[in-house]
Amino acid sequence: MNETATGWVLEVLDRGGRVLRRVWTQPGVLRVGRALDNDVVLDDPFVDAHHLDLVVTPEGVHVEDRDSMNGTWLAARRRVRHASLSDGQKVQVGHSTLRLRSPAASVPPAWRDATSHGWVSVFRRPLVLFACLVLAILALGFDAWVEETRSLSAGILANQLAYPILGLLFWAALWSGMNRVSSHQPNFGVHLGIGALALAGLFIGDQGVRLLAFAFDWHDAAPWGELGAEITVIGLALFAHLQYIAHGRRSLQALGAVVVSAVLIGSPALGDWLRRDDFNSLPALNPLLKPPAARLVEGQSIEGFLDQAERFRDDLRQE
């Protein structure tokens, strides 16, 4: 390396190319190996006790292999005994990779922390978490009231709320565990708030679609509307979770969230659609049990209903 600098930075990389540690070098000999008396100790069983020397001089940096068993490889392609290194060049020893950098080398700009600056940063606020939990509980309670055909007692309500709340806690714990692995911060409250808001969004989306289907007589389109609403809500929730546990391009994270949501929600719906002709004695009451005032288009008259019933009866007799 034709530089006049007297020091260099030696980086130890993992297999993914991430820097594990950096060592500042000065003119002289830098010993590299597995033995504890080396200047750079590599905990790698494929590295010799004294594997190589890095000779740092004002004229440049040179690598000298010390008759190692597995050799020293330049750019992982050429085995060398003696070689001169340039800025950014990699040397592979055993299963470890070393990279030499000039102190004047540029570094990429800092990543923007979406959890501090983006829209998902609101979930860090305790008041927002409290509001999300209250909204989720109200949505679950109202959903139980809408779906229950019997009188809604406290026991029935508690039973209806128990499983979704346990599922919400498990969901938040799962994302919190992944967050702990990726950034050493669990952020349990954040993931709990995202999950609670998604739970409320699922109820609002489903009930909104059903109300529109009842109001405008769109019963055939209601299942597809509910499917679209569920995919949207789950996709947004996955995207929000990913903003906290992974750094990367937001467009790729959004695409991945939508794909996973479509697979999770769409697969059961596809199975139901394939079995749509199977006999089912349970009527679809959800679009029907709505207040008459919510009807915005003229429905079927009693005479029309009776005529349709007679046609069904005649078709059954012919079969």
Side-chain angles (χ1 to χ4, degrees), residues 157-175:
L157 180 61
N159 184 61
Q160 293 283 354
L161 295 181
Y163 290 106
I165 291 176
L166 289 176
L168 174 61
L169 293 174
F170 176 78
W171 176 267
L174 179 65
W175 284 101

Side-chain angles (χ1 to χ4, degrees), residues 33-289:
R34 191 159 39 88
L36 299 181
D37 61 349
N38 287 286
D39 300 298
V40 179
V41 179
L42 300 177
D43 187 15
D44 184 342
F46 298 94
V47 172
D48 282 23
H50 300 91
H51 198 105
L52 61 86
D53 291 336
L54 286 175
V55 182
V56 182
T57 67
E59 290 75 26
V61 179
H62 307 275
V63 59
E64 295 183 359
D65 185 83
R66 300 182 62 179
D67 297 324
S68 61
M69 176 181 293
N70 295 312
T72 300
W73 297 77
L74 195 62
R77 291 189 298 268
R78 181 166 60 91
R79 184 168 182 168
V80 296
R81 291 184 59 83
H82 307 279
S84 297
L85 301 182
S86 58
D87 182 26
Q89 199 161 19
K90 296 179 182 179
V91 176
Q92 183 172 337
V93 290
H95 286 180
S96 302
T97 302
L98 308 176
R99 181 172 61 192
L100 196 71
R101 299 299 303 272
S102 167
S106 61
V107 296
W111 287 355
R112 185 176 185 272
D113 188 358
T115 63
S116 299
H117 303 285
W119 60 275
V120 293
S121 62
V122 298
F123 291 103
R124 288 180 176 270
R125 303 174 184 175
L127 185 60
V128 173
L129 172 60
F130 177 76
C132 290
L133 291 175
V134 170
L135 184 61
I137 293 174
L138 290 176
L140 289 172
F142 193 70
D143 184 60
W145 176 72
V146 169
E147 300 292 339
E148 185 59 46
T149 56
R150 301 166 293 176
S151 59
L152 190 62
S153 63
I156 295 176
L157 180 61
N159 184 61
Q160 293 283 354
L161 295 181
Y163 290 106
I165 291 176
L166 289 176
L168 174 61
L169 293 174
F170 176 78
W171 176 267
L174 179 65
W175 284 101
S176 179
M178 291 188 289
N179 206 155
R180 177 74 177 179
V181 172
S182 65
S183 63
H184 307 290
Q185 295 180 351
N187 289 319
F188 178 79
V190 169
H191 295 293
L192 183 64
I194 295 173
L197 189 61
L199 202 59
L202 287 174
F203 167 76
I204 294 172
D206 285 349
Q207 292 299 326
V209 169
R210 293 171 184 176
L211 186 60
L212 288 175
F214 177 81
F216 294 101
D217 198 20
W218 293 342
H219 299 316
D220 293 338
W224 299 107
E226 293 179 22
L227 179 63
E230 291 172 1
I231 290 176
T232 301
V233 171
I234 296 298
L236 287 173
L238 292 176
F239 178 65
H241 286 302
L242 288 173
Q243 289 284 288
Y244 271 91
I245 70 170
H247 297 285
R249 296 176 58 183
R250 298 180 62 185
S251 58
L252 292 179
Q253 291 180 345
L255 178 61
V258 171
V259 171
V260 172
S261 176
V263 172
L264 290 177
I265 304 300
S267 297
L270 179 61
D272 293 340
W273 182 78
L274 294 175
R275 295 190 300 269
R276 64 190 184 280
D277 294 330
D278 294 349
F279 175 76
N280 187 359
S281 60
L282 298 176
L285 298 178
N286 284 327
L288 303 178
L289 299 179

Side-chain angles (χ1 to χ4, degrees), residues 5-9 23-30 54-58 61:
T6 59
W8 304 95
V9 178
V23 179
W24 177 261
T25 69
Q26 294 292 341
V29 178
L30 194 71
L54 286 175
V55 182
V56 182
T57 67
V61 179

